[in-house]
Amino acid sequence: MPGRPKMAMSSDFLDAFAKLPKPQQRGVRTLISRFNADSTASGLNYERIHAARDPAMRSLRIDQGYRAIVLKPEHGGVHMLLWADKHDAAYTWAERHECRINAETGALQVYEPHTEPDAAAAALAEAAGPPLAFRNLRDRELARLGVPVAMLAEARTVRDDAELDAMQSRLPLEAYEALFLYLAGESYEDLVREREAPEEPVDTRDFAAALARDDSRGRFVVVDDELELEAMLNAPLERWRVFLHPSQRRLVERQWNGPTRVLGAAGTGKTVVAMHRARWLARNMPGRGRILFITFTKNLAADIKHNLGAICKPEESARIDVTNLDRWVTRFLQGRRYEFRIGFGRNREAWQRALDLKSAELDVPDAFYDDEWEQVVQAHGVTSREEYLRVSRVGRGARLNRAARVEAWRVFEEYRTQLAERGVKEVDDAYRDAASLLQNDRGALDYVAVIVDEAQDMGAQAYRLVRHIVPAGANDLFVVGDGHQRIYGRNKVVLGRCGIDVRGRSRKLRLNYRTTEETRSWAARFLAGRAVDDLDGGLDVDKGITSLTRGPEPLLEHFDNRHEQSAFIVAYLKQVKAEDASLRGVCIVARTRRERDAIAATLTEHGLTHVALEAGVVDVAETEGVRLATMHRVKGLEFDRVIMASINADLVPLPAAIDARGDAVERESAETEERALVYVAATRAKKELVVLSCGKPSRFL
């Protein structure tokens, strides 16, 4: 309809909008409303920007001092909001940037070339020193990787990662990513195949078609719903609600013909993908069946339910059941008149009575029985002595012959007897009972799909149950996780042995959107050289992982005592307040709840508002105060600044967590979990990481 074109909004525009003063933000809302009513209205005050690189650039008046930059193409009815700032700054932005459709990929790109293409630049660079990084790629091949024509010559001067990183902020995201992966060893053919370039010639004037492509949707959204627009403007920095990287979108918006596994390091957006997948299924799965979204902890379940409410319409939310698995199985079994109470954790009285039967001839510590019960008996679903005599114990440190297994089984059998007398079953046994009930009643549930987040934290019995919750078929299971973040002492799971076949449907996310490269690389060293599984019997190698943002190196400070550490924390927080930054963006993380509470008491003494993040309670963003959390509770959250406090020898690694293990193999596994906790805590920081120790520092540092 003439006079009513579509308006698209870039992610950069939302970033700029978030920095505007409140009156100017209201002005932007008014401007968009006027545009939607009539794009030709004289009150919009379109102004040509004569010095702009791109002749289609225009400005729209927000008020006397502020301007919005919009691309007004010659053809088609789609206008692109690109930037907003003070008058002169907005015009400078427009003069430096271009917004064009890439003729090879068909994507709409915003970029900042430093110079006009200079064919001689690459030749001069070639003669000046080490080999050029992309010397084996022709111009068209670079363009197919997303490099704009205006930046081809500059890209040809790049020799290494550092020089590519210097261009990162000016390149389109997909171009930087492809060039980075090429330098990391990916083949050009694989990179092009992954990007699925258009089969037909690209019309570089068709902006509507360009906006529909995945690469464009990673940074542009077409505004055609007033409610969605208002939600975007109310939370402009929560880009995860709107924008998905093409690799993420391909995972979300696809008809998978069976179980799918998605791996990704911290900050790569696994949970975001899982949430958008849940919404997509709720919108697109036929019928009235529900989607079950499960996590291991109630903390994450509460956070995810809250966040899904921000992106889903009410009718979509009604189809998505978000819960942690233990709560789900309790609810399910209670509905089936289950005669046992579910024990979450070891029943110490029953366990001690069982240990009273241990054989003196079997010379192993009590901790051995703990580990054997968890790692062998429960992990493999062993219910009889005959099964225990046959079960594989690969990975256990102590070897047991047949006679020794017979003696050990007396303890495990007695423990189950003691539990039965108390009317209790451990949760792994409850999982198995629930799976058996579902196997005998295939129509018991109305779920059409299950999404599993933080998959590495669940054991084999949990996955055998998950396999029975939903019928096998298209889009049935979507499993996301990262073995680097296994912090709950669970066995390494092989999905294929649990009836979940992900062959041909396994993907990996490699771009970190949250953590700066400086923080990411610092945190990654805690797990460097340690074997990390891929949840299906293989190894997960962190090759080709990079962050999209740069920042300061983590600040490491050591103090002689806790008093000095406390003084630093107080001074740091007061400095943050002095810079007009909200303390809501700061989280202090400690290894234990006791240490967290001690720090909280110090903050109270100095009149600093704080919020202790408790288990199962959603962190309400609007609540004032610095956050305090344990390393376990902070998982799944993110903050501008993270202070890791008291990284001391007596807390990190926590001696009790390691000493309780029965043999050297299990103690090594426990140490890896402690290192994973540090990794998880560090990668919650988006902008700045501060690491503090007092007394004797942790040997991890």
Side-chain angles (χ1 to χ4, degrees):
M1 172 178 176
R4 293 293 301 274
K6 291 183 178 180
M7 176 173 280
M9 188 180 300
S10 75
S11 58
D12 288 340
F13 177 83
L14 282 176
D15 289 343
F17 173 84
K19 297 174 183 177
L20 294 177
K22 294 297 182 183
Q24 282 69 40
Q25 289 188 351
R26 289 193 293 272
V28 168
R29 285 180 161 91
T30 301
L31 182 155
I32 294 175
S33 178
R34 288 178 179 173
F35 181 93
N36 286 336
D38 184 0
S39 66
T40 65
S42 59
L44 289 174
N45 295 294
Y46 271 108
E47 297 175 7
R48 187 179 296 274
I49 305 171
H50 297 288
R53 282 180 172 273
D54 192 328
M57 292 278 192
R58 299 288 188 274
S59 75
L60 290 175
R61 182 178 298 174
I62 298 173
D63 60 19
Q64 287 296 102
Y66 284 79
R67 297 292 186 272
I69 303 301
V70 64
L71 189 81
K72 185 181 181 183
E74 294 181 12
H75 304 276
V78 184
H79 292 55
M80 271 69 66
L81 275 171
L82 303 177
W83 194 252
D85 212 329
K86 291 180 179 179
H87 180 284
D88 290 351
Y91 271 59
T92 298
W93 187 94
E95 291 165 5
R96 291 179 176 175
H97 289 78
E98 294 183 10
C99 182
R100 304 285 177 86
I101 298 173
N102 187 304
E104 295 295 333
T105 68
L108 183 60
Q109 300 179 318
V110 179
Y111 49 91
E112 184 184 354
H114 265 177
T115 61
E116 293 299 324
D118 181 0
L124 290 173
E126 181 76 66
L132 300 176
F134 309 116
R135 62 190 181 280
N136 295 326
L137 297 177
R138 299 188 297 272
D139 280 356
R140 187 176 182 186
E141 290 172 327
L142 285 172
R144 283 178 174 172
L145 294 181
V147 180
V149 171
M151 299 185 76
L152 288 174
E154 188 178 356
R156 289 211 167 278
T157 66
V158 170
R159 300 181 186 282
D160 52 32
D161 289 346
E163 292 185 3
L164 178 61
D165 287 347
M167 292 180 63
Q168 178 192 338
S169 63
R170 298 184 293 106
L171 279 166
L173 172 59
E174 70 272 17
Y176 170 77
E177 178 191 10
L179 297 180
F180 171 83
L181 293 174
Y182 182 83
L183 290 182
E186 295 279 341
S187 72
Y188 165 78
E189 290 75 17
D190 286 344
L191 291 170
V192 170
R193 189 180 306 113
E194 184 177 304
R195 276 152 181 75
E196 301 176 355
E199 295 180 1
E200 301 295 327
V202 172
D203 182 351
T204 57
R205 302 173 302 169
D206 190 346
F207 284 84
L211 285 167
R213 295 190 173 99
D214 284 347
D215 279 339
S216 303
R217 294 171 70 195
R219 54 183 168 264
F220 281 92
V221 59
V222 177
V223 180
D224 54 13
D225 185 303
E226 291 291 337
L227 292 178
E228 288 186 2
L229 171 63
E230 192 60 26
M232 282 186 273
L233 296 181
N234 285 337
L237 294 180
E238 296 184 11
R239 296 170 60 164
W240 63 269
R241 295 186 182 189
V242 182
F243 303 105
L244 292 175
H245 183 274
S247 62
Q248 295 175 322
R249 192 173 296 280
R250 283 192 287 271
L251 297 173
V252 168
E253 300 177 357
R254 175 168 175 170
Q255 294 285 348
W256 295 97
N257 61 3
T260 304
R261 180 201 62 186
V262 178
L263 301 177
T268 54
K270 298 182 300 301
T271 299
V272 168
V273 165
M275 288 191 292
H276 279 272
R277 177 67 176 174
R279 181 179 70 166
W280 187 87
L281 289 170
R283 287 182 176 179
N284 293 281
M285 289 287 277
R288 302 175 61 86
R290 293 181 299 157
I291 294 92
L292 178 61
F293 193 123
I294 55 176
T295 70
F296 180 64
T297 70
K298 56 185 178 182
N299 295 332
L300 286 172
D303 294 333
I304 288 167
K305 187 171 185 177
H306 175 76
N307 288 330
L308 273 172
I311 65 173
C312 291
K313 296 177 180 178
E315 61 271 22
E316 294 163 354
S317 293
R319 291 193 72 183
I320 306 172
D321 182 9
V322 184
T323 185
N324 70 302
L325 186 59
D326 289 349
R327 182 176 180 179
W328 186 91
V329 78
T330 299
R331 189 175 62 195
F332 172 77
L333 290 174
Q334 286 176 344
R336 301 306 189 275
R337 300 184 182 276
Y338 194 56
E339 61 183 1
F340 295 94
R341 289 183 295 107
I342 301 176
F344 299 101
R346 192 65 48 82
N347 186 306
R348 288 300 165 187
E349 181 183 5
W351 184 249
Q352 188 54 55
R353 287 182 178 272
L355 287 177
D356 290 342
L357 296 183
K358 66 182 181 182
S359 171
E361 297 178 5
L362 188 54
D363 187 19
V364 293
D366 288 354
F368 164 83
Y369 290 97
D370 273 292
D371 293 337
E372 188 77 359
W373 173 257
E374 293 287 348
Q375 306 291 332
V376 178
V377 178
Q378 290 290 56
H380 293 278
V382 175
T383 59
S384 69
R385 186 179 71 171
E386 289 67 29
E387 289 177 337
Y388 183 58
L389 292 176
R390 297 193 304 268
V391 71
S392 170
R393 298 181 66 257
V394 173
R396 296 285 284 130
R399 299 174 65 88
L400 295 182
N401 58 28
R402 182 180 179 85
R405 291 198 191 198
V406 169
E407 292 298 327
W409 180 252
R410 294 174 58 200
V411 172
F412 307 138
E413 187 175 47
E414 178 63 19
Y415 179 51
R416 281 214 173 102
T417 299
Q418 290 288 331
L419 288 179
E421 290 177 357
R422 292 165 171 79
V424 175
K425 281 202 175 184
E426 280 200 351
V427 68
D428 275 353
D429 291 321
Y431 288 158
R432 190 165 51 253
D433 289 346
S436 179
L437 287 170
L438 288 172
Q439 190 172 16
N440 294 326
D441 185 3
R442 293 289 185 181
L445 302 174
D446 64 348
Y447 294 117
V448 292
V450 177
I451 295 173
V452 182
D453 191 30
E454 300 294 355
Q456 73 282 346
D457 291 331
M458 297 185 192
Q461 297 308 320
Y463 279 106
R464 292 185 179 107
L465 169 59
V466 166
R467 178 62 281 178
H468 286 91
I469 290 176
V470 64
N475 303 315
D476 54 351
L477 299 176
F478 194 82
V479 178
V480 302
D482 175 23
H484 297 82
Q485 298 183 69
R486 181 177 285 109
I487 60 175
Y488 289 104
R490 287 286 175 179
N491 292 351
K492 295 180 176 65
V493 170
V494 179
L495 292 173
R497 295 177 186 169
C498 301
I500 301 174
D501 184 0
V502 297
R503 288 176 297 178
R505 293 180 299 277
S506 295
R507 302 292 186 271
K508 185 167 183 178
L509 298 170
R510 294 184 286 190
L511 281 182
N512 187 312
Y513 302 92
R514 176 175 63 226
T515 308
T516 65
E517 178 61 17
E518 290 77 10
T519 294
R520 186 205 66 79
S521 58
W522 183 85
R525 70 187 182 91
F526 289 100
L527 292 168
R530 292 180 175 260
V532 176
D533 69 289
D534 67 355
L535 312 183
D536 201 36
L539 292 179
D540 182 11
V541 180
D542 265 358
K543 177 184 177 183
I545 304 295
T546 189
S547 294
L548 292 178
T549 58
R550 299 296 184 269
E553 293 289 340
L555 176 63
L556 277 62
E557 295 283 356
H558 176 70
F559 304 97
D560 291 335
N561 53 62
R562 292 175 182 271
H563 175 75
E564 291 180 358
Q565 176 181 266
S566 296
F568 175 90
I569 291 174
V570 170
Y572 179 91
L573 295 177
K574 288 183 176 179
Q575 180 63 35
V576 171
K577 290 186 69 176
E579 295 172 356
D580 293 327
S582 172
L583 292 184
R584 291 177 296 183
V586 182
C587 184
I588 302 174
V589 184
R591 174 62 182 87
T592 65
R593 185 187 180 97
R594 181 176 181 180
E595 187 66 19
R596 182 204 71 178
D597 292 345
I599 296 169
T602 298
L603 299 185
T604 300
E605 290 174 9
H606 289 84
L608 290 165
T609 304
H610 55 84
V611 177
L613 302 181
E614 302 292 355
V617 179
V618 173
D619 178 22
V620 180
E622 292 74 20
T623 305
E624 288 295 337
V626 60
R627 274 46 176 170
L628 295 108
T630 64
M631 288 184 175
H632 283 92
R633 176 61 184 94
V634 80
K635 187 175 185 181
L637 303 178
E638 59 182 41
F639 301 90
D640 288 338
R641 297 173 173 88
V642 169
I643 302 172
M644 295 171 58
S646 303
I647 309 302
N648 308 332
D650 60 338
L651 286 171
V652 181
L654 193 66
I658 294 178
D659 296 343
R661 298 297 179 94
D663 57 51
V665 172
E666 292 302 327
R667 286 191 290 274
E668 182 68 14
S669 177
E671 166 135 340
T672 299
E673 290 162 21
E674 290 290 300
R675 288 178 174 273
L677 273 172
V678 177
Y679 170 80
V680 166
T683 52
R684 302 308 99 188
K686 294 192 291 184
K687 296 180 180 178
E688 185 174 38
L689 174 65
V690 179
V691 184
L692 309 178
S693 59
C694 52
K696 185 178 180 181
S698 166
R699 57 185 171 82
F700 286 179
L701 297 178

